[in-house]
Amino acid sequence: MKHHRIHIPVIILLLLIGGAAFSQTDTTIQSNVKVGCINGDCQNGQGIYRTSAGNIYTGPFVNGKYQGKGKMNYRDGDVYEGDFANGKMHGHGVYQYHNGNVYDGNFANGKMEGEGSFTYESGNRYLGTFMNNQKFGNGIFWFSDSSRYEGGFVGDRMDGIGKWYYPNGDRYEGSFSRGKQNGKGAYY
């Protein structure tokens, strides 16, 4: 039987390397940012409230919920300013996305609902009705190349009877399905 000699310095080195590789030290940064009511009366009055997601609401409260004209600054840079009811966007408001898009219109229970306009950072613009955060019903969509579509929308896409006006003055009138010309129509 052979005896193996292990040197103390080798053992110490292995412990140091292994200890660093399998360390269970908590690396999360502890934050002193307060969640909840930051200032004012966030129960039944004016106040400033920080959500657990890092969003900050400024405005009136009724029974601890956002109510009336207020402003929500989202952690990702989006900003909503407008009407709130029962803690949700409800009524008229303007939602500015951090990417440059802007929705100006009606909200119901936290979603784009009813009449509104959506302007894209690209220069495209939609004016019409929304349902459940999507273009739905009749509307007009202007494209940045000066063409436009007037007609029906379903599920955020051109759908139904509509007219497409091209920049050169030509137009198509007819059926659209899932965002494309489909079915009967005429080109003028």
Side-chain angles (χ1 to χ4, degrees):
M1 181 174 211
K2 251 186 177 180
H3 294 289
H4 295 283
R5 280 181 98 175
I6 299 177
H7 299 282
I8 300 286
V10 173
I11 293 173
I12 292 173
L13 182 64
L14 288 173
L15 287 173
L16 288 174
I17 294 171
F22 299 105
S23 173
Q24 294 191 10
T25 304
D26 185 3
T27 58
T28 59
I29 298 171
Q30 294 298 319
S31 174
N32 292 330
V33 176
K34 181 180 178 185
V35 173
C37 193
I38 299 170
N39 191 1
D41 181 357
C42 299
Q43 196 57 38
N44 287 299
Q46 289 287 128
I48 301 173
Y49 185 91
R50 181 179 283 118
T51 68
S52 60
N55 307 326
I56 298 176
Y57 169 80
T58 304
F61 291 82
V62 173
N63 296 323
K65 293 185 178 182
Y66 318 143
Q67 187 75 29
K69 297 227 179 271
K71 182 176 182 179
M72 179 69 81
N73 289 292
Y74 293 90
R75 187 179 68 180
D76 67 359
D78 291 358
V79 176
Y80 170 78
E81 193 161 0
D83 298 327
F84 287 85
N86 291 315
K88 295 181 180 179
M89 298 177 291
H90 194 86
H92 183 265
V94 176
Y95 194 107
Q96 298 178 328
Y97 294 83
H98 66 277
N99 65 3
N101 296 341
V102 177
Y103 173 76
D104 183 345
N106 292 317
F107 289 84
N109 294 311
K111 296 182 178 182
M112 294 181 284
E113 193 83 25
E115 294 296 316
S117 69
F118 197 103
T119 304
Y120 296 83
E121 186 273 333
S122 66
N124 294 342
R125 182 170 173 253
Y126 171 78
L127 176 65
T129 55
F130 289 82
M131 186 169 71
N132 199 28
N133 282 339
Q134 295 183 335
K135 294 180 268 312
F136 191 90
N138 289 319
I140 303 170
F141 196 102
W142 290 271
F143 294 88
S144 60
D145 70 356
S146 299
S147 60
R148 79 178 184 274
Y149 169 80
E150 298 178 7
F153 286 83
V154 174
D156 238 10
R157 294 191 271 187
M158 298 172 284
D159 204 297
I161 302 300
K163 297 176 185 174
W164 187 293
Y165 296 89
Y166 294 91
N168 66 1
D170 293 350
R171 77 179 186 274
Y172 168 82
E173 295 181 16
S175 297
F176 288 79
S177 179
R178 297 182 184 161
K180 297 180 181 176
Q181 297 172 3
N182 186 20
K184 292 186 177 185
Y187 190 82
Y188 300 97

